[in-house]
């Protein structure tokens, strides 16, 4: 079936909120998933992975294990690496802006692949970003060009390199990368706007069921109080 | 005077909840600007299919050639509805009529698909070639009475339209990707519908044309030899009703930058009209006429709600006072009059006056309609100092810091999304379950909690980047991002605690509906209201030939003006 960007975004947001995730991260990750889908990358795959082992979120600080002028290593006490990944991008952007140098953020947990880069891209596309995960290596340039290559070393720790300004970028490390120029991404985006985003009925119904967790069941009392009840007008 | 130096009313005045709940439509409201656009561009609108039976059931299609030749269709399906199924609940899946605004001319396959899905509304699925969907129920009383009178060769008594100013009433009008329709991102790429809610307004206006065509048709089928068509003045006086509930309220909180743009446009229009013009004999005479019209419009509005009736009564007195001031003072500028209105009349009167003053100056305010859209951008700036954040809260959110969130009244309500109704609801925190799934309309409390946490930060850490604070307190990230993102959007926040026991959500609905261009506010509780759209608006046959677009505060046609 085909769904709109807005529907998917709202649905993912509700699913994450239903698990008790905080608003900011629920919004960012919903944006990231839609960003991936609108660029013909599989955004729902990492969500499925996440939901296979559902967990509720409790706010616990993300601690910095080590920090130098250009490197930050994070440990995620809440064990939801995706959240830390989102925060890591914020942290790296802040530090890179302050120092005008590239900043590397390394995560001690392995984040869900691809969402990190989408998180960065969906936030602000003026930065060049390199993301390393245990499955992929990715680069997003400020002009919107995207490169993706498989990660050959599954033991690789997750990390984000954030570049600011016009810094010279190191060569992208994979010759076998898939390059998606910005104009192609835009064509994908326009195609999705024109016809909608394809999603399986199974995913759609599953996510809708999970989204119910963000809503409140009716009671007799709430039915009596409800706006517009018995709103039959002559 | 440039826009930046205009004396705009400050946000602590404009964004007060009771003032928002007193707003009236004005000439840059979306319904008004949409009518101006289609008239200016002479849109070609033809009814190409009118396959409606003698009972009024069937299919009607209008084809539209709009801006720069863009082509659209509005399809309406009218069906029998048992009286017991006629409910205006949002999730109802049976309606007297369902309609959709679509891209291009419709193929037979598209019409078949829409016929299958559209009448089910929220239980149906649509495709991205559909831009707007909505549904409507009859005012059975008006429909049958009008048809009978027209069939017998008589015009209806206009009094019945001042009680119920429509033949059909809609509930939700969707235009943002719901139920599979096109995203707003697609809609705003259209030259015809770049402005917010313009596609929805157009669909409702054209549906209003259908409702008139329908009663004329059914009357003719009933008594072919005696039937007459609805008089053009009465046609103008018929709008489209709408029942609006809490579903609309969180929009104002969720889209603060957009709300800022709407309010800024309105306040700029008001400031230009007040401060960049000089009253003349002609404009004073025009204002006097408008005051008379507004007075009559309100006097003709029959509603049961006690609070709104009191507001209307005070408005009538206030409008009289303004007229008296005009008659007894010489004006070199509008400022003394505006000061008098602000000091001596009710908030309801003030906002009527503001709409009327804006009405006088199309040449200097109409361009502001193009500023009512914005690309929302809510971004975290991780480099802000903690001290900057504290300053921002102390400067822009003083209204929050005055609230005692330790008092139970301050968190009396919680907003939630109902599983059953699929729309927002208001619960009493101490009495109902669900507060753990509270909707994020808790801005005042969020800011207060953030400020409380910030006060625990040692002053020696104030120069640290705010991202360091977020690492330790991730629960505040969304609130911090909001404070940062609204730095230059002074009208972004509704300055009220929406959880308070005294909060009237109806005010939020009124503010948004006024921006749409709605009138005849008829609250049915503190949680929902009935309104009328396009009452007094030009008819389809007038488009392209309008010399005036002033149809604000419509008044009942005098019976002798159209009955021979």
């Amino acid at each position: 079936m085909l769904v709109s960007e807005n529907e998917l975004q709202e649905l993912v947001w509700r699913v994450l909120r239903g698990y008790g995730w905080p608003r900011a991260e629920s919004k960012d990750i919903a944006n990231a998933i839609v960003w991936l889908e609108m660029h013909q990358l599989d955004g729902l795959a990492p969500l499925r992975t996440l939901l296979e082992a559902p967990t509720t979120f409790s706010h616990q600080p993300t601690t910095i294990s080590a920090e130098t002028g250009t490197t930050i290593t994070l440990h995620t006490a809440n064990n939801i690496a995706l959240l830390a990944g989102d925060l890591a991008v914020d942290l790296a952007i802040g530090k890179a802006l302050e120092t005008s140098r590239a900043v590397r953020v390394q995560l001690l947990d392995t984040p869900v692949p691809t969402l990190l880069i989408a998180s960065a891209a969906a936030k602000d596309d003026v930065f060049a970003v390199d993301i390393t995960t245990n499955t992929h290596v990715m680069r997003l340039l400020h002009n919107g060009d995207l490169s993706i290559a498989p990660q050959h070393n599954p033991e690789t720790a997750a990390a984000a390199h954030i570049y600011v300004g016009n810094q010279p970028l190191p060569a992208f490390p994979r010759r076998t990368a898939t390059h998606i120029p910005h104009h192609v991404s835009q064509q994908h985006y326009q195609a999705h706007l024109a016809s909608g985003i394809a999603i399986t009925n199974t995913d759609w119904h599953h996510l809708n069921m999970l989204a119910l967790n963000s809503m409140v069941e009716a009671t007799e009392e709430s039915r009596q109080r409800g706006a517009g009840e018995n709103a039959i007008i002559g | 005077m440039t826009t930046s130096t205009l004396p705009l009313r400050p946000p602590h005045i404009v964004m007060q909840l009771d003032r928002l709940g007193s707003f009236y439509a004005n000439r840059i409201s979306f319904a008004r600007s949409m009518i101006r656009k289609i008239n200016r561009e002479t849109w070609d609108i033809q009814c190409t299919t009118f396959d409606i039976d003698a009972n009024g059931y069937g299919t009607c299609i209008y084809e539209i050639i709009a801006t720069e030749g863009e082509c659209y269709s509005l399809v309406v399906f009218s069906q029998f509805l048992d009286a017991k199924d006629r409910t205006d609940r949002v999730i109802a899946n049976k309606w007297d009529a369902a309609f959709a605004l679509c891209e291009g001319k419709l193929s037979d396959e598209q019409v078949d698909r829409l016929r299958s899905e559209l009448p089910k509304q929220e239980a149906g699925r649509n495709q991205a070639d559909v831009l707007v969907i909505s549904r409507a129920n009859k005012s059975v009383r008006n429909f049958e009475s009008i048809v009978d009178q027209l069939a017998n060769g008589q015009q209806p008594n206009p009094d019945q339209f001042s009680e119920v100013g429509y033949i059909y009433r809609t509930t939700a009008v969707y235009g943002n990707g719901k139920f599979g329709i096109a995203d707003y991102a697609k809609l705003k790429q259209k030259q015809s519908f770049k402005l917010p809610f313009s596609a929805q307004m157009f669909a409702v206006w054209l549906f209003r044309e259908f409702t008139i065509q329908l009663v004329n048709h059914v009357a003719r089928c009933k008594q072919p030899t005696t039937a007459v068509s609805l008089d053009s003045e009465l046609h103008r006086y018929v709008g489209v009703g709408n029942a609006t509930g809490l579903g609309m309220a969180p929009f104002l909180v969720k889209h603060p930058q957009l709300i800022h743009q709407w309010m800024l446009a309105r306040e700029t229009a008001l400031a230009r009209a007040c401060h960049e013009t000089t009253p003349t004999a002609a404009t004073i005479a025009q204002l006097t006429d408008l005051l008379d019209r507004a007075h009559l419009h309100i006097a003709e509005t029959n509603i049961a709600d006690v609070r709104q009736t009191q507001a209307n009564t005070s408005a009538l007195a206030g409008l009289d006072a303004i007229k008296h001031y005009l008659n007894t003072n010489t004006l070199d500028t509008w400022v003394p009059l505006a000061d008098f209105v602000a000091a001596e009349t009710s908030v309801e009167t003030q906002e009527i006056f503001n709409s009327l003053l804006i009405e006088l100056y199309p040449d200097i305010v109409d361009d502001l309609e193009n500023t009512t859209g914005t690309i929302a951008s809510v971004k975290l700036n991780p480099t802000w100092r903690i001290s900057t954040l504290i300053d921002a809260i102390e400067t822009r959110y003083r209204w929050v810091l005055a609230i005692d969130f330790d008092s139970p009244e301050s968190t009396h309500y919680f907003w939630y999304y109902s599983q059953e109704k699929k729309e927002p609801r208001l619960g009493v925190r101490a009495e109902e379950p669900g507060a753990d799934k509270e909707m994020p309309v808790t801005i005042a409390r969020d800011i207060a909690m953030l400020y409380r946490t910030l006060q625990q930060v040692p002053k020696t850490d104030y120069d640290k980047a705010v991202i360091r604070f977020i690492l330790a307190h991730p629960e505040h990230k969304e609130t911090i991002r909001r404070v940062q993102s609204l730095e230059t959007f002074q009208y972004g926040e509704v300055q009220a605690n929406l959880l308070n026991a005294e909060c009237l959500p109806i005010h939020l609905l009124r503010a948004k509906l006024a921006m749409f261009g709605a009138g005849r506010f008829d609250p049915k509780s503190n949680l929902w209201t009935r309104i009328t759209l396009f009452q007094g608006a030009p008819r389809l046959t007038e488009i392209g030939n309008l010399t005036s677009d002033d149809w604000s505060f419509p008044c009942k046609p005098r019976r002798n003006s159209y009955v021979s």
Side-chain angles (χ1 to χ4, degrees):
Chain A
M1 67 186 293
L2 295 167
V3 303
S4 71
E5 175 187 1
N6 185 41
E7 273 182 306
L8 185 59
Q9 206 161 18
E10 170 90 9
L11 186 58
V12 173
W13 184 84
R14 286 202 175 283
V15 168
L16 298 176
R17 291 289 291 154
Y19 277 114
W21 284 39
R23 278 182 275 161
E25 283 74 14
S26 299
K27 194 187 286 182
D28 285 352
I29 289 160
N31 287 346
I33 286 169
V34 170
W35 188 91
L36 287 167
E37 288 289 334
M38 294 298 266
H39 289 77
Q40 289 205 326
L41 300 167
D42 190 353
L44 287 173
L47 184 65
R48 275 185 228 106
T49 306
L50 194 72
L51 298 176
E52 279 168 9
T55 177
T56 52
F57 176 85
S58 63
H59 279 298
Q60 292 184 43
T62 299
T63 53
I64 296 175
S65 303
E67 181 169 1
T68 69
T70 55
T71 305
I72 303 170
T73 304
L74 291 177
H75 178 73
T76 58
N78 54 27
N79 290 322
I80 301 180
L82 187 54
L83 292 180
D86 187 57
L87 212 51
V89 172
D90 288 332
L91 186 63
I93 289 172
K95 194 173 178 74
L97 279 174
E98 285 179 345
T99 61
S100 297
R101 297 165 72 180
V103 171
R104 173 185 167 85
V105 178
Q106 181 169 316
L107 300 171
L108 294 182
D109 297 319
T110 303
V112 178
T114 70
L115 277 172
L116 266 179
I117 196 164
S119 171
K123 274 180 196 159
D124 200 325
D125 58 6
V126 300
F127 298 93
V129 186
D130 281 347
I131 301 288
T132 305
T133 75
N134 63 334
T135 59
H136 290 84
V137 181
M138 286 167 280
R139 168 171 289 179
L140 180 71
L141 297 179
H142 52 79
N143 67 2
D145 290 353
L146 181 66
S147 301
I148 304 177
Q151 171 64 266
H152 298 309
N153 179 5
E155 302 301 316
T156 305
H161 260 105
I162 305 289
Y163 304 94
V164 295
N166 293 318
Q167 291 172 353
L169 297 174
F172 190 65
R174 297 283 183 276
R175 287 181 188 168
T176 55
T178 301
H179 300 286
I180 307 172
H182 180 58
H183 74 273
V184 173
S185 296
Q186 280 301 302
Q187 286 167 6
H188 293 158
Y189 178 74
Q190 290 299 329
H192 279 308
L193 275 187
S195 59
I197 300 168
I199 176 172
T200 67
N201 286 346
T202 308
D203 275 341
W204 178 250
H205 292 301
H206 182 53
L207 293 175
N208 270 289
M209 287 302 294
L210 293 174
L212 290 176
N213 292 328
S214 70
M215 306 176 196
V216 177
E217 284 183 61
T219 62
E220 271 317 302
E221 194 167 14
S222 70
R223 289 192 184 100
Q224 292 301 318
R225 288 182 199 272
E229 285 304 313
N230 306 314
I232 302 169
I233 308 162
Chain B
M1 208 178 292
T2 66
T3 297
S4 60
T5 58
L6 273 172
L8 302 179
R9 294 190 298 175
H12 72 266
I13 299 285
V14 176
M15 301 308 290
Q16 284 288 328
L17 195 56
D18 64 335
R19 184 172 297 276
L20 293 172
S22 303
F23 277 7
Y24 277 79
N26 63 67
R27 61 177 301 113
I28 58 167
S29 294
F30 305 146
R32 297 282 303 278
S33 57
M34 192 277 298
I35 292 287
R36 274 199 298 278
K37 179 178 171 72
I38 64 176
N39 181 62
R40 186 173 61 242
E41 298 176 355
T42 323
W43 287 17
D44 181 19
I45 304 168
Q46 304 291 334
C47 180
T48 55
T49 300
F50 194 79
D51 184 15
I52 303 284
D53 68 17
N55 295 311
Y57 307 134
T59 303
C60 175
I61 300 173
Y62 297 89
E63 288 180 0
I64 303 114
I65 304 299
T67 310
E68 296 179 7
E70 288 178 346
C71 179
Y72 302 95
S73 300
L74 182 96
V75 60
V76 185
F77 299 109
S78 169
Q79 64 179 12
F80 170 77
L81 184 66
D82 198 305
K84 69 177 168 47
D85 294 327
R86 188 171 289 109
T87 159
D88 287 355
R89 285 174 183 159
V90 165
I91 55 170
N93 56 11
K94 290 178 184 170
W95 302 82
D96 282 313
F99 58 98
L101 180 67
C102 307
E103 284 183 304
K105 290 187 177 186
L106 295 174
S107 66
D108 291 344
E109 291 74 20
Q110 283 174 298
V111 173
D112 287 344
R113 187 189 80 213
L114 287 161
R115 187 178 287 115
S116 160
E117 295 301 310
L118 200 56
K120 292 185 282 192
Q121 286 290 298
E122 305 198 2
R125 286 298 300 173
N126 295 280
Q127 295 186 7
D129 56 358
V130 179
L131 304 178
V132 173
I133 63 169
S134 188
R135 59 290 179 94
N137 281 337
K138 285 174 187 166
S139 161
V140 177
R141 187 174 27 161
N142 263 0
F143 186 91
E144 291 178 352
S145 150
I146 293 166
V147 165
D148 285 346
Q149 291 173 84
L150 293 178
N152 291 326
Q154 297 169 339
Q155 292 297 331
N157 186 334
D159 286 348
Q160 70 188 88
F161 296 118
S162 45
E163 286 180 25
V164 177
Y166 54 83
I167 301 171
Y168 277 71
R169 61 178 172 274
T170 60
T171 53
V173 184
Y174 292 117
N176 185 19
K178 288 249 186 182
F179 318 111
I181 68 174
D183 275 302
Y184 179 60
K186 176 178 179 178
L187 195 54
K188 72 182 180 188
Q189 291 176 1
K190 306 288 184 190
Q191 293 304 312
S192 308
F193 301 118
K194 290 170 90 79
L195 295 180
F197 292 96
S198 55
Q200 290 95 321
M201 290 297 112
F202 177 74
V204 172
W205 175 76
L206 195 48
F207 176 72
R208 173 230 204 190
E209 195 66 25
F210 166 78
T211 68
I212 305 296
Q213 211 174 336
L214 186 68
V215 290
N216 287 338
H217 169 76
V218 176
R220 267 197 308 277
C221 291
K222 198 168 183 178
Q223 296 284 355
T225 54
T226 57
V228 292
S229 292
L230 190 69
D231 176 85
S232 58
E233 279 199 58
L234 282 171
H235 182 158
R236 259 193 174 233
Y237 193 55
V238 173
V240 174
N242 181 275
T244 298
L246 286 181
M248 189 177 269
F251 183 93
L252 275 76
V253 179
K254 197 175 171 186
H255 301 281
Q257 292 161 326
L258 186 63
I259 298 308
H260 164 85
Q261 290 301 127
W262 295 0
M263 297 302 166
L264 181 65
R266 184 182 182 281
E267 292 303 312
T268 304
L270 177 60
R272 284 182 184 173
C274 191
H275 296 280
E276 293 189 336
T277 64
T278 304
T280 64
T283 51
I284 290 172
Q286 190 186 351
L287 180 61
T288 304
D289 286 347
L290 287 170
L291 287 164
D292 286 341
R293 201 163 81 200
H295 194 287
L296 185 57
H297 170 85
I298 291 167
E300 289 176 350
T301 300
N302 301 318
I303 57 168
D305 182 70
V306 173
R307 189 186 51 79
Q308 187 58 47
T309 300
Q310 287 170 348
N312 287 353
T313 303
S314 71
L316 291 174
L319 294 173
D320 285 340
I322 297 171
K323 264 192 80 175
H324 180 73
Y325 186 97
L326 274 176
N327 291 333
T328 53
N329 289 275
T330 303
L331 292 178
D332 296 323
T333 77
W334 292 115
V335 175
L337 176 60
D339 288 345
F340 166 78
V341 172
E344 302 296 334
T345 70
S346 67
V347 174
E348 192 93 2
T349 313
Q350 292 169 32
E351 295 308 327
I352 295 171
F353 171 77
N354 292 339
S355 289
L356 300 183
L357 196 59
I358 291 170
E359 195 69 46
L360 301 178
Y361 297 106
D363 292 346
I364 61 170
V365 304
D366 284 358
D367 65 307
L368 292 165
E369 70 194 18
N370 297 315
T371 67
T372 52
T374 188
I375 299 170
S377 171
V378 179
K379 288 180 180 172
L380 183 75
N381 181 343
T383 64
W384 262 34
R385 303 294 99 179
I386 291 172
S387 58
T388 312
L389 179 62
I390 293 171
D391 287 347
I393 293 172
E394 290 177 346
T395 307
R396 285 161 36 211
Y397 290 90
R398 264 178 299 187
W399 59 276
V400 168
L401 304 183
I403 300 169
D404 174 13
F405 274 100
D406 291 328
S407 123
E409 289 76 25
S410 67
T411 54
H412 179 78
Y413 288 123
F414 69 99
W415 293 68
Y416 66 91
Y417 203 82
S418 163
Q419 268 191 22
E420 185 175 78
K421 305 294 183 189
K422 297 287 188 293
E423 64 174 342
R425 284 283 185 266
L426 204 57
V428 176
R429 194 177 303 273
E431 298 170 13
E432 295 175 65
D436 57 322
K437 295 173 181 175
E438 192 162 16
M439 289 177 66
V441 296
T442 51
I443 304 306
R445 191 185 60 188
D446 294 344
I447 297 284
M449 296 305 110
L450 167 61
Y451 188 70
R452 197 174 280 186
T453 309
L454 282 166
Q455 287 182 310
Q456 310 302 317
V457 175
K459 287 209 163 86
T460 49
D461 287 349
Y462 276 18
D463 197 40
K464 286 188 173 171
V466 78
I467 185 66
R468 308 285 167 168
F469 174 80
I470 292 172
L471 284 178
H473 304 283
E475 70 275 17
H476 293 304
K477 179 175 162 183
E478 184 67 8
T479 309
I480 294 170
R481 187 155 67 176
R482 186 178 180 100
V483 173
Q484 292 182 330
S485 299
L486 296 185
E487 193 175 17
T488 56
F489 295 82
Q490 61 170 330
Y491 299 121
E493 297 286 19
V494 174
Q495 298 201 359
N497 171 21
L498 302 182
L499 313 181
N500 189 277
E502 303 297 319
C503 172
L504 295 180
I506 192 92
H507 290 326
L508 295 171
L509 312 185
R510 167 82 174 257
K512 191 178 174 201
L513 289 164
M515 279 307 299
F516 283 4
R520 205 169 284 281
F521 299 103
D522 184 6
K524 296 298 174 187
S525 77
N526 289 336
L527 306 179
W528 74 281
T529 185
R530 202 191 305 173
I531 51 102
T532 307
L533 277 161
F534 294 109
Q535 193 173 28
R539 297 168 291 131
L540 173 56
T541 52
E542 296 175 88
I543 294 305
N545 302 309
L546 290 173
T547 52
S548 164
D549 76 329
D550 177 10
W551 45 277
S552 61
F553 297 97
C555 297
K556 189 168 58 181
R558 301 299 104 180
R559 202 175 167 87
N560 61 4
S561 69
Y562 60 87
V563 175
S564 57

